[in-house]
Amino acid sequence: MARTLVVVGNGMVGHRLVQAVRDRDTDGGWQVVVFAEEPRPAYDRVALTSYVDGWDPLGLQLDGAEFTDDPGVELVLGDAVASIDRAARTVTTAAGRTQPYDALALATGSAPFVPPVPGRDLPGCHVYRTIDDLDAIRASAERARAGTGRGAALVIGGGLLGLEAAKALRDMGLSPHVVELAPRLMPLQVDEGGGALLKRLIEDLDVTVHPGTSTGAIEPDRGRLLATLGNGTELDVDLVVFSAGIRPRDQLARDAGLPVGERGGILVDEACRTADPHVYAIGECANLDGRVYGLVAPGYSMAEVVADRLLGGTATFPGADMSTKLKLMGVDVASFGDAHAATEGALEVVVNDAVKGTYKKLVVSDDAKTLLGGVLVGDAADYALLRPLVGRPLPGDPGALLAPAGGGGGGVGVDALPDEAQVCSCNAVTKGAIRAAVHEQGCDDVPKLKSCTRAGASCGSCVPMLKQLLSSFGVEQSKAVCEHFTQSRAELYEIVRVTGITTFSDLIERHGTGGRGCDVCKPVAASILASLGNGHILTDGQAGLQDTNDRFLANIQRNGTYSVVPRIPGGEITPEKLLVLAQVALDFGLYTKITGGQRIDLFGATVDQLPVIWKRLVDAGFESGHAYGKSLRTVKSCVGETWCRYGVQDSVGLAVELELRYRGLRSPHKLKSGVSGCARECAEARGKDFGVIATDNGWNLYVGGNGGTMPRHADLLVSEVDKETLLRVIDRFLMFYIRTADRLQRTSAWLDAMEGGLDHLRDVVVHDSLGIAAELEAQMAEHVRGYADEWAGVLADPEKLARFTSFVNAPGAPDPTIAFREERGQRVPVLLGTPEVISR
Amino acid sequence: MTVQQMTVQPMNAVDSTMWFEVCALGALGREEGVAALLPDGTQVAVFRTHDDRVFALANLDPFSGAAVLARGIVGDLGGTPVVASPMHKQHFDLRTGACVEDGTVAVPTYPVRVSGGTISLGRT
Ligand SMILES: Cc1cc2nc3c(=O)[nH]c(=O)nc-3n(C[C@H](O)[C@H](O)[C@H](O)COP(=O)(O)OP(=O)(O)OC[C@H]3O[C@@H](n4cnc5c(N)ncnc54)[C@H](O)[C@@H]3O)c2cc1C
């Protein structure tokens, strides 16, 4: 019979434990019951600050957090464990449920420490730990916004969490002040020199820092709060966030008589077992070797240890890497190893570049041979390379390691790393594991490495290093489009944009490697020229660059005939137009099928029939659907509030508007979109490159979704925005994609490969961190203005029409290899079989 | 339908090649292809390269069985003039018909002559 594992706490670490047990317990030896105090399944607390970007709790939810399809797990939400009876081996919850256990794992995390400042319980005083905390902060911030002028907020504590809170408050439109007792920000991670630079960089971002002082008191003041600092400064603020450290939540264990550390934390051994062999403690509530770890990676290691032990293993806690790297409001900060040079005889090498705004310090052993740790502020690109070298012989002179050579790691290359070096500390992936994935599993790009090894799948800071490793393992990472250009597609795009080149011959002559071009670079160039608005795609000099689909403005099928797909914006079509399609299909004997994008595909047209068919369609008010192009395909929609009793917005109206706005936009790959009128998501918008879902208050925009062979749910980019904002963000998103993606790279793969991932994308297209938003918008405005139907353009031009002949010497003669038979009442191709090929 | 505009000219009695005029050179853009139909129903793909050389291959793509090679993109690979099949992108050497990706495959080639601004295909 299965034994019962009870897990108290469904935070990041508790969830990892359940997953690890379920992954390994293939015989069903354990039945798991999880009690969660919070009302929602486990979510990514590390990314809590990004909740502000969308206020979408589901966006933070951890993979597989619901366990709905797993009979081996019972997840009890919103019911905290109130007591443990170790003698009876049961726990009792606040709601009164008593649950027996064979093994108990405490994963209760920690609670924010709120210093005893008078006034700390006033309305408007908050902590920063849970989604509910952020909702409460948001409510206070909104109250502030309703008042006059710009609201202000006080963050007590200038550590990692305090700065995260400041960022969130700034994103909510408030002016944050940060008070830090220590003389510098992030005193735990950063030294004095780094702290000074960090303060300067953070203050440039509209955050006022008050170091070396405390908060004396908080008082109500005409609907706001008046905070008096230890140095006498008075601040009028709308809300206060305490982030002055955390304390392990060990009360449950104390009450049960389990020993805890002097400064808190449930004492555990290297197997994460408490004094009671049936009870384990993991994550931030545990105290191991006299330490409480406030980072998620050590907690994950503990979860893995316990899972192993429960299944009969003998794993022990491997020790923790307390390195940190983060990007705060766009400022890189990293610290690793012995950042404060606490080791006997440790030497420091510092490069402080006030002009560039970077501070780098390495801590090395007294003989300057071994790297012990370091601090990087302003530019942490070297972090991924330096951190795994901690405790190892330096591959070169310490000064050279900090030299501002490009490519990270200054003078060191990834080759210097030993195989045991951890490349991804979030998921404990070593260089050796990456090597194996490359050589044995054939991973040849970053997305494959991510899914194979999980390296880079969490915080993403090691992605640049993964790229370097790939090339060090001999995987060609060349971005060259083909043999004719050493440049990547994005680089060619920039060249064309900046130089104003309008023909392929100019491009290849001036920027190619010699030669005439091929079926790879020509369509790329054609697409770039079209994205940048160079007239009809069949104009002189461009027609020969186009893939056959673009060249005949139709989709080639297996017997060499084409299919015809007129645009049906949003999938909305009148009966009259349906009749036109039906009549055309009858007259030309075309096979008809409804597409996944809510339109009608007419198959079996020969090259010479295409213009005749399109003449009929254009006359009836249809236009090209660009089903043949690497361009916007369709914007699928549900019927929306007009008809649907659940709809909250006009999804069809928006879908039509989006489709008409972006139609004809040439891009690195096809683009699909969808609009759903409510959260039921009938239009499957989250499977699209950009998808929109209506809420009561506006629209949520999701990006980077994909179906097909690599399904990916789209990520929330902005939420509850009005239509104008929505269009602006989509404009920027699409143009940024067109600018920077590789050839045939869908938005999903583009986003996966992006350094900095979704946060970076959001910085660029929402917060305009690169200062290009206006340019991107202008470019889209130009596209919208310049749009013209490609098929109408062909029909109006005899030269273009002349291309649509079956045989140059016998126009109108049918291709003798094309034949049809009937299947289920329609014509389908007869396949002639592959003809014998000539052997040489 | 009948095959129009087709003239049969046995112009070179010595090697007994039959030449068929297919179109004016100007009807075929540089680095593009067109399909032509020979009287026996054979489909030929005719290509013109950047330097105004003209090549002719069978139009039938041996991999897909569809008569489409004339609709492929013309270019070069390592200096060899090629056309890429629009179906599955195999490349064929315009001079020899050899498939670049698969040495065991080749498509037939046809003699070509350009005179007086007219392209003619030969049949022996
Ligand atoms: C804003 C923010 C940013 C952070 N950034 C980073 C970072 O960049 N890198 C990093 O490594 N770490 C970071 N952390 C810390 C990281 O989130 C924690 O280390 C991690 O969440 C610890 O996981 P845990 O499961 O131990 O605790 P938690 O995630 O706190 O989970 C504990 C859960 O147990 C529940 N619980 C408590 N008592 C009971 C009970 N009696 N019954 C039932 N349930 C109970 C709690 O409600 C909570 O849901 C950050 C934290 C915050 C708040």
Side-chain angles (χ1 to χ4, degrees):
Chain A
M1 219 192 79
R3 290 175 293 169
T4 302
L5 167 67
V6 169
V7 180
V8 185
N10 184 39
M12 300 185 72
V13 173
H15 177 60
R16 173 60 74 96
L17 171 64
V18 181
Q19 271 188 323
V21 169
R22 294 304 297 149
D23 280 353
R24 297 178 200 184
D25 181 19
T26 41
D27 314 330
W30 289 96
Q31 183 67 28
V32 185
V33 183
V34 187
F35 290 103
E37 174 190 61
E38 292 189 67
R40 52 181 62 85
Y43 57 88
D44 186 354
R45 200 176 308 285
V46 170
L48 185 65
T49 301
S50 71
Y51 178 52
V52 173
D53 297 321
W55 302 106
D56 175 22
L58 286 183
L60 284 186
Q61 188 163 314
L62 293 175
D63 284 345
E66 294 185 29
F67 295 103
T68 31
D69 302 326
D70 187 347
V73 179
E74 183 193 356
L75 176 58
V76 184
L77 296 176
D79 190 7
V81 169
S83 63
I84 307 169
D85 182 341
R86 291 202 284 127
R89 274 199 234 150
T90 60
V91 296
T92 301
T93 69
R97 168 167 166 185
T98 296
Q99 170 67 47
Y101 65 81
D102 296 292
L104 176 65
L106 302 174
T108 49
S110 45
F113 168 65
V114 180
V117 178
R120 64 181 187 166
D121 295 326
L122 288 170
C125 289
H126 301 274
V127 293
Y128 196 80
R129 175 106 199 149
T130 65
I131 287 185
D132 287 349
D133 292 340
L134 261 73
D135 283 335
I137 292 171
R138 181 191 193 189
S140 289
E142 255 155 30
R143 225 168 294 128
R145 262 206 303 236
T148 50
R150 181 159 187 200
L154 173 63
V155 176
I156 299 181
L160 191 156
L161 293 189
L163 292 181
E164 290 239 0
K167 168 176 164 38
L169 293 164
R170 194 193 63 152
D171 290 351
M172 287 183 227
L174 301 172
S175 296
H177 292 260
V178 177
V179 179
E180 169 56 51
L181 201 55
R184 60 176 184 272
L185 293 170
M186 295 188 63
L188 288 186
Q189 291 86 2
V190 173
D191 62 350
E192 223 179 293
L197 175 63
L198 183 59
K199 174 171 187 288
R200 203 187 93 203
L201 296 175
I202 297 279
E203 291 203 321
D204 285 347
L205 298 164
D206 190 26
V207 175
T208 314
V209 182
H210 308 267
T213 187
S214 60
T215 310
I218 304 164
E219 297 157 277
D221 181 29
R222 285 162 292 153
R224 300 181 80 195
L225 297 168
L226 178 69
T228 311
L229 305 189
N231 64 7
T233 308
E234 293 194 339
L235 298 172
D236 266 324
V237 296
D238 297 280
L239 64 100
V240 176
V241 174
F242 286 93
S243 64
I246 50 172
R247 295 289 179 267
R249 294 186 68 177
D250 53 16
Q251 194 59 42
L252 196 59
R254 286 175 196 260
D255 294 346
L258 290 169
V260 298
E262 235 169 80
R263 301 180 56 208
I266 308 162
L267 290 182
V268 294
D269 63 14
E270 57 176 11
C272 298
R273 216 177 344 226
T274 66
D276 180 335
H278 297 285
V279 184
Y280 297 85
I282 53 176
E284 288 193 346
C285 66
N287 182 326
L288 202 156
D289 282 339
R291 288 190 72 167
V292 171
Y293 295 94
L295 293 173
V296 75
Y300 280 171
S301 307
M302 295 183 205
E304 300 288 340
V305 168
V306 172
D308 183 71
R309 292 272 171 169
L310 289 173
L311 293 161
T314 56
T316 55
F317 184 66
D321 178 0
M322 296 302 282
S323 307
T324 337
K325 171 173 182 247
L326 63 157
K327 209 182 191 84
L328 282 166
M329 300 178 251
V331 179
D332 275 339
V333 184
S335 94
F336 53 96
D338 180 11
H340 295 289
T343 312
E344 182 79 41
L347 305 172
E348 299 186 4
V349 184
V350 176
V351 179
N352 192 352
D353 188 334
V355 180
K356 267 205 248 136
T358 59
Y359 173 92
K360 302 180 179 189
K361 179 179 85 173
L362 289 190
V363 178
V364 298
S365 58
D366 50 5
D367 59 359
K369 292 224 161 81
T370 310
L371 181 64
L372 299 177
V375 174
L376 306 169
V377 178
D379 170 12
D382 297 343
Y383 170 79
L385 249 162
L386 292 172
R387 186 191 47 75
L389 282 174
V390 169
R392 299 177 188 281
L394 283 168
D397 174 61
L401 286 183
L402 291 178
V412 219
V414 285
D415 294 341
L417 293 180
D419 265 11
E420 322 82 77
Q422 230 176 54
V423 171
C424 167
S425 54
C426 298
N427 295 299
V429 185
T430 60
K431 178 179 170 187
I434 305 278
R435 183 197 298 281
V438 170
H439 291 321
E440 283 149 40
Q441 284 159 290
C443 296
D444 56 7
D445 59 18
V446 172
K448 283 187 201 134
L449 280 179
K450 271 190 191 174
S451 66
C452 240
T453 64
R454 300 194 35 76
S458 296
C459 80
S461 69
C462 61
V463 168
M465 174 122 106
L466 294 179
K467 290 188 185 156
Q468 293 172 34
L469 281 173
L470 280 167
S471 46
S472 125
F473 295 149
V475 178
E476 192 64 51
Q477 283 290 289
S478 165
K479 288 278 179 197
V481 164
C482 66
E483 67 176 56
H484 301 100
F485 290 94
T486 56
Q487 300 88 343
S488 66
R489 179 203 165 275
E491 288 163 343
L492 288 181
Y493 182 93
E494 282 309 300
I495 289 173
V496 174
R497 190 176 69 85
V498 172
T499 60
I501 286 177
T502 58
T503 64
F504 178 75
S505 30
D506 273 359
L507 184 65
I508 195 164
E509 198 169 294
R510 290 201 234 156
H511 302 280
T513 58
R516 303 296 312 169
C518 65
D519 57 305
V520 174
C521 57
K522 285 185 173 184
V524 165
S527 162
I528 292 173
L529 290 171
S531 292
L532 290 166
N534 278 285
H536 198 283
I537 62 166
L538 297 187
T539 44
D540 267 351
Q542 281 189 48
L545 307 178
Q546 308 289 356
D547 264 322
T548 189
N549 285 0
D550 276 309
R551 188 157 154 211
F552 293 98
L553 307 174
N555 294 49
I556 197 165
Q557 303 299 331
R558 60 187 312 156
N559 64 346
T561 62
Y562 289 82
S563 77
V564 168
V565 189
R567 186 167 299 291
I568 300 179
E572 187 183 63
I573 184 165
T574 61
E576 289 79 5
K577 280 190 154 177
L578 275 175
L579 281 173
V580 173
L581 293 182
Q583 199 57 55
V584 167
L586 281 173
D587 292 350
F588 292 87
L590 303 175
Y591 168 95
T592 57
K593 186 163 190 324
I594 312 282
T595 72
Q598 300 184 332
R599 44 193 190 177
I600 295 170
D601 208 339
L602 311 170
F603 289 82
T606 55
V607 165
D608 47 311
Q609 284 175 332
L610 287 171
V612 199
I613 291 172
W614 271 104
K615 171 95 176 63
R616 295 263 301 267
L617 295 175
V618 169
D619 286 348
F622 285 102
E623 61 175 7
S624 166
H626 294 100
Y628 48 81
K630 304 285 179 246
S631 54
L632 180 79
R633 295 287 169 83
T634 65
V635 183
K636 185 172 173 175
S637 68
C638 68
V639 78
E641 70 170 354
T642 319
W643 289 93
C644 176
R645 65 206 156 106
Y646 299 114
V648 294
Q649 304 253 11
D650 176 13
S651 47
V652 181
L654 181 68
V656 171
E657 185 169 346
L658 291 179
E659 190 159 337
L660 296 182
R661 183 171 183 81
Y662 303 119
R663 64 186 163 181
L665 179 67
R666 287 295 197 290
S667 48
H669 210 317
K670 61 187 168 190
L671 287 166
K672 296 182 178 183
S673 178
V675 182
S676 281
C678 80
R680 284 173 185 75
E681 241 286 69
C682 296
E684 298 165 329
R686 292 195 67 187
K688 307 294 183 204
D689 294 281
F690 60 104
V692 183
I693 302 178
T695 74
D696 290 329
N697 305 314
W699 304 99
N700 286 355
L701 173 62
Y702 297 81
V703 296
N706 198 0
T709 49
M710 297 269 278
R712 183 186 191 280
H713 247 79
D715 293 316
L716 184 67
L717 188 62
V718 289
S719 72
E720 312 226 308
V721 293
D722 57 20
K723 197 177 77 185
E724 196 187 320
T725 312
L726 178 76
L727 293 183
R728 193 167 60 232
V729 176
I730 300 177
D731 282 2
R732 295 174 179 182
F733 166 77
L734 291 176
M735 277 302 176
F736 187 50
Y737 165 64
I738 290 172
R739 247 188 209 202
T740 58
D742 274 342
R743 155 181 183 266
L744 300 186
Q745 186 179 40
R746 290 288 293 269
T747 57
S748 56
W750 172 67
L751 190 50
D752 275 341
M754 189 179 293
E755 274 169 38
L758 184 66
D759 285 342
H760 176 66
L761 177 66
R762 190 180 288 117
D763 280 346
V764 175
V765 304
V766 181
H767 306 307
D768 194 14
S769 60
L770 299 181
I772 56 172
E775 212 173 278
L776 298 175
E777 283 173 39
Q779 231 179 312
M780 188 62 84
E782 187 57 27
H783 163 77
V784 174
R785 199 193 49 73
Y787 169 83
D789 173 27
E790 282 169 0
W791 261 110
V794 169
L795 296 173
D797 179 352
E799 264 181 43
K800 294 191 180 78
L801 271 176
R803 298 181 171 281
F804 294 82
T805 44
S806 50
F807 298 104
V808 66
N809 59 339
D815 175 346
T817 66
I818 294 173
F820 296 97
R821 65 192 166 82
E822 193 155 299
E823 190 174 283
R824 291 186 295 278
Q826 296 204 70
R827 284 206 321 173
V828 297
V830 173
L831 297 179
L832 300 179
T834 308
E836 234 174 277
V837 291
I838 300 174
S839 287
R840 299 199 299 158
Chain B
M1 230 171 285
T2 54
V3 176
Q4 311 151 8
Q5 297 181 346
M6 189 178 289
T7 45
V8 181
Q9 288 180 312
M11 289 175 59
N12 189 334
V14 181
D15 64 5
S16 79
T17 303
M18 303 272 281
W19 290 97
F20 308 100
E21 275 184 21
V22 291
C23 65
L25 182 62
L28 175 53
R30 287 204 173 103
E31 304 193 291
E32 291 191 36
V34 288
L37 193 60
L38 296 184
D40 63 356
T42 308
Q43 295 190 42
V44 180
V46 186
F47 302 98
R48 174 177 174 188
T49 51
H50 67 102
D51 47 7
D52 286 344
R53 285 185 296 164
V54 179
F55 298 94
L57 306 179
N59 196 28
L60 204 68
D61 170 17
F63 293 96
S64 66
V68 293
L69 287 187
R71 299 179 223 154
I73 291 179
V74 178
D76 63 357
L77 284 186
T80 305
V82 292
V83 62
S85 164
M87 280 292 180
H88 300 299
K89 313 292 179 208
Q90 292 90 353
H91 299 90
F92 298 92
D93 187 333
L94 293 181
R95 301 164 308 185
T96 62
C99 173
V100 175
E101 284 78 12
D102 182 344
T104 66
V105 176
V107 295
T109 59
Y110 299 88
V112 183
R113 200 174 63 184
V114 182
S115 71
T118 299
I119 302 175
S120 304
L121 297 179
R123 207 78 223 261
T124 39

